[in-house]
Amino acid sequence: MAARFLLRSQLKLAAASTAVLGGAAAATVATSDDPSKVLKLCTAVPLRLVRDSITAANIAFDYEYSLWGLPEGSNERSKIKHEVHLRSALKLQELCFKNGGIYIKLGQHIGQLEYLVPQEYVQTMRESMLNKCPVSSYDQVCEVFKKELGETPEKIFSEFDPVPIASASLAQVHVARTHDGQKVAVKVQHTHMTDTAAADQASVELIVNTLHRFFPSFDYRWLVDEIAESLPKELDFLVEAKNSEKCLDNFQKLSPHIAHYIYAPKIHWNLSTTKLLTMEYIDGVQVNDLKSIRRLGVQPNEVARLVSQAFAEMMFRHGFVHCDPHAANLLVRPLPSSRKTILGKRKPQLILLDHGLYKDLDFQTRTNYAALWKGLVFADAKAIKENSVKLGAGEDLYALFAGILTMRPWNRVIDTSVDHLVIQGNESDRSELQMYASQYFPQISELLRRLPRVILLMLKTNDCLRSVNNSLLQRSSMETFYIIGRVSSEALIEAKLLQRKSFLTWLSVWLDEILLEARLLAMQVALWLLRTRKTLNL
């Protein structure tokens, strides 16, 4: 019944939107300065809507038909539901690839939402959306070069590999060599993005609004607002170039103790435009490639610590945060200035790529977020509630907010044991997460609607970092939370000093520092005891 209703609704949506948008096309084309471009837009939107509608109806019917009559909680239902999840995830994957652009970015985001969607969707999207994006032809690449720099790649560079080494949702990367011999990476925006970005945005907006109308608990209108704000910035590669330089400058000024462990490729400004970005070529390996990391003589646990430290500094000290830290955007190489130890080990350096999506955290938001994470690490229920409410979760959903940030139920969040936030990544943990996602879906949707968009981006960043950490260690790590606890606490102490500089403030800060060191020392001892116990058990 639900599937038939959804099917009729989706088909009506497709037909109505096609008629409305198609009717508007003639007038728009006639009055536009670039009729061919507008014509592409007016034909792309209905096509995407039809694809979206058919896929949504197909998925809904599959669930309704396949699970019909199977009792809740039965083994047979669980088995069939797993199969339907897999089929549906593949259908959604195919839709994202066909539509491209924004849809691939949405697919990447779904791959991080362990607290909201079934594991089959998460796994399918993670495996496909980061490294298997559609590729623009070399002719299309040349078209971008001619529009942006007036010449083909062969004339601008002494060497240019026509086969890209990577392709993402908005662009692809080619290796080239400048006329003075420097090896560079050239990021070229997909030609269709200029024509279809607005179409994608319009399609997603219409679908999300319509779904909310039919199913009020499905309220993802915030996602439309976020796309509208962030996409123009991500499509301007000069913004990305400025972000990368500002990021490194922040580490030099605000976090000098780890600045030489963090790097971003240098920009060749004379060969960069809004749709072309030429930067230093970095020979590194992806952060989730454990075998290659070990071959470099680098320890994965040291990489995990560095990633945690870098992003804790950005969130709690800098207030300028890279919000797309998935595995394809983080490279690792041995620290150039480091030497091998007797055992052949070297220190890691983290290379940050794709600086298109950043968020500024104002002083108050950054301070509240730091205080929240300090409360989470030290199991301070009062601080967790107080700062969750300040960040927009409300008196009723603060526990759920804490659960989404940590992927732990409330009773574990406020457990005083040192490893209370650690997720082992076993089947029991995964089952528990999926149960909570299913049980609290309406509340999670309401929470996401309430939170400021900047906090939603912090959630996305948090999800990406958790995925990276799990790939490096096959689980979450107590040391990660130790780092978060230290950096967030130190940031709060620095914030207090900035606000008032009286003698009483200095005294209060001095006491805070003593208490912090005592807490961290206790945590270190507990960590050592846990590691020793595990070693002895082996």
Side-chain angles (χ1 to χ4, degrees):
M1 185 71 180
R4 288 196 295 274
F5 167 73
L6 184 58
L7 176 59
R8 287 198 299 270
S9 301
Q10 293 285 356
L11 291 177
K12 285 179 182 177
L13 168 64
S17 59
T18 301
V20 170
L21 293 166
T28 309
V29 172
T31 58
S32 172
D33 293 333
D34 189 355
S36 62
K37 180 178 177 179
V38 177
L39 183 59
K40 288 181 183 178
L41 172 62
C42 292
T43 54
V45 173
L47 177 60
R48 279 164 165 70
L49 284 170
V50 170
R51 281 187 193 140
D52 298 341
S53 303
I54 291 173
T55 301
N58 199 331
I59 289 173
F61 178 79
D62 195 358
Y63 276 101
E64 185 75 9
Y65 178 78
S66 301
L67 299 176
W68 183 268
L70 297 177
E72 285 285 350
S74 67
N75 290 335
E76 185 180 3
R77 184 181 178 88
S78 297
K79 179 186 174 186
I80 297 299
K81 183 184 281 190
H82 169 70
E83 294 171 357
V84 178
H85 283 336
L86 281 176
R87 288 198 298 270
S88 300
L90 290 171
K91 290 170 188 172
L92 188 59
Q93 176 198 75
E94 183 181 3
L95 174 70
C96 291
F97 280 144
K98 280 184 178 178
N99 284 351
I102 291 175
Y103 287 84
I104 291 176
K105 293 196 76 67
L106 291 175
Q108 291 173 347
H109 192 37
I110 289 171
Q112 310 299 335
L113 297 178
E114 291 178 289
Y115 54 83
L116 198 57
V117 298
Q119 185 65 26
E120 292 82 357
Y121 286 84
V122 171
Q123 197 65 33
T124 299
M125 296 303 169
R126 280 186 186 172
E127 289 175 354
S128 62
M129 292 293 158
L130 296 183
N131 300 311
K132 301 177 183 177
C133 295
V135 175
S136 293
S137 68
Y138 184 60
D139 287 341
Q140 290 172 319
V141 170
C142 289
E143 181 184 334
V144 175
F145 266 88
K146 288 176 182 176
K147 284 182 179 179
E148 297 299 305
L149 296 176
E151 296 286 355
T152 59
E154 288 82 3
K155 292 186 178 179
I156 293 171
F157 298 100
S158 63
E159 298 175 22
F160 186 89
D161 190 343
V163 179
I165 57 169
S167 183
S169 54
L170 306 183
Q172 62 193 46
V173 179
H174 294 259
V175 177
R177 195 172 293 277
T178 62
H179 286 291
D180 60 0
Q182 295 182 65
K183 191 175 183 181
V184 294
V186 186
K187 185 174 179 178
V188 185
Q189 194 170 116
H190 294 309
T191 53
H192 67 267
M193 285 307 304
T194 303
D195 299 327
T196 65
D200 290 343
Q201 191 174 322
S203 301
V204 171
E205 182 174 2
L206 185 56
I207 290 162
V208 169
N209 287 336
T210 303
L211 283 172
H212 175 63
R213 191 173 170 186
F214 288 133
F215 310 102
S217 64
F218 186 93
D219 190 358
Y220 281 73
R221 290 174 292 178
W222 56 267
L223 188 59
V224 176
D225 295 334
E226 180 54 42
I227 290 172
E229 180 182 320
S230 64
L231 188 63
K233 296 176 184 176
E234 290 191 78
L235 290 174
D236 186 343
F237 290 170
L238 293 180
V239 170
E240 177 179 344
K242 291 172 185 174
N243 286 344
S244 71
E245 293 194 341
K246 181 177 178 179
C247 173
L248 289 187
D249 189 52
N250 282 342
F251 275 102
Q252 292 288 342
K253 292 178 179 176
L254 304 174
S255 307
H257 55 294
I258 66 163
H260 62 300
Y261 291 102
I262 311 298
Y263 194 75
K266 293 177 181 176
I267 306 299
H268 290 252
W269 288 96
N270 62 321
L271 296 173
S272 298
T273 71
T274 57
K275 293 179 176 59
L276 280 173
L277 184 60
T278 304
M279 52 200 149
E280 173 188 5
Y281 179 85
I282 303 292
D283 190 11
V285 300
Q286 282 194 9
V287 73
N288 60 349
D289 187 349
L290 295 185
K291 289 183 180 178
S292 297
I293 288 175
R294 289 192 179 100
R295 275 200 296 268
L296 295 175
V298 172
Q299 296 292 91
N301 63 321
E302 288 197 22
V303 176
R305 284 199 294 268
L306 181 55
V307 171
S308 298
Q309 179 84 32
F311 281 86
E313 297 284 336
M314 279 192 263
M315 287 187 283
F316 306 135
R317 276 202 169 101
H318 306 176
F320 185 65
V321 187
H322 187 309
C323 290
D324 203 14
H326 58 69
N329 288 340
L330 303 178
L331 300 182
V332 179
R333 70 177 178 182
L335 183 67
S337 60
S338 71
R339 295 179 180 178
K340 286 185 179 181
T341 65
I342 297 174
L343 298 176
K345 305 302 180 186
R346 296 186 66 181
K347 292 288 185 182
Q349 186 178 58
L350 181 66
I351 314 297
L352 301 176
L353 304 178
D354 196 350
H355 298 262
L357 184 58
Y358 270 74
K359 275 294 177 183
D360 285 297
L361 298 178
D362 62 67
F363 180 81
Q364 198 58 53
T365 301
R366 177 166 59 86
T367 303
N368 292 338
Y369 195 57
L372 172 57
W373 267 108
K374 179 185 175 184
L376 290 168
V377 171
F378 295 116
D380 185 342
K382 182 181 176 182
I384 293 169
K385 180 178 180 180
E386 179 183 327
N387 290 286
S388 294
V389 171
K390 286 180 180 178
L391 290 168
E395 295 273 351
D396 54 334
L397 294 179
Y398 70 90
L400 182 62
F401 184 35
I404 287 177
L405 281 169
T406 61
M407 301 294 283
R408 299 275 74 187
W410 178 249
N411 65 316
R412 290 289 292 164
V413 170
I414 58 174
D415 187 336
T416 55
S417 59
V418 69
D419 60 342
H420 68 293
L421 296 181
V422 173
I423 303 172
Q424 298 300 331
N426 53 32
E427 193 57 42
S428 174
D429 272 341
R430 281 192 289 271
S431 298
E432 184 179 44
L433 291 174
Q434 290 304 311
M435 181 192 72
Y436 273 87
S438 174
Q439 186 175 351
Y440 294 107
F441 180 82
Q443 291 91 335
I444 292 172
S445 297
E446 170 61 17
L447 176 65
L448 297 179
R449 185 194 66 79
R450 281 186 199 178
L451 293 171
R453 288 207 304 274
V454 68
I455 298 300
L456 293 174
L457 263 290
M458 291 305 100
L459 285 178
K460 180 197 174 188
T461 303
N462 195 44
D463 296 335
C464 289
L465 293 174
R466 183 185 298 110
S467 176
V468 167
N469 195 74
N470 288 344
S471 66
L472 283 165
L473 303 174
Q474 309 307 311
R475 54 181 171 76
S476 60
S477 164
M478 289 179 285
E479 289 187 75
T480 295
F481 295 112
Y482 172 83
I483 290 167
I484 291 172
R486 173 177 282 281
V487 179
S488 61
S489 299
E490 290 173 347
L492 290 170
I493 290 172
E494 291 165 6
K496 187 182 286 188
L497 280 173
L498 284 173
Q499 288 177 308
R500 288 180 296 179
K501 294 186 178 180
S502 66
F503 172 75
L504 289 177
T505 302
W506 281 104
L507 180 61
S508 173
V509 166
W510 181 67
L511 292 173
D512 284 348
E513 288 178 335
I514 292 176
L515 180 59
L516 172 61
E517 290 304 324
R519 277 178 149 180
L520 292 172
L521 178 60
M523 183 179 277
Q524 279 185 319
V525 170
L527 288 172
W528 179 80
L529 289 173
L530 282 170
R531 280 196 294 263
T532 303
R533 189 170 64 196
K534 287 180 180 178
T535 303
L536 292 175
N537 286 340
L538 289 174

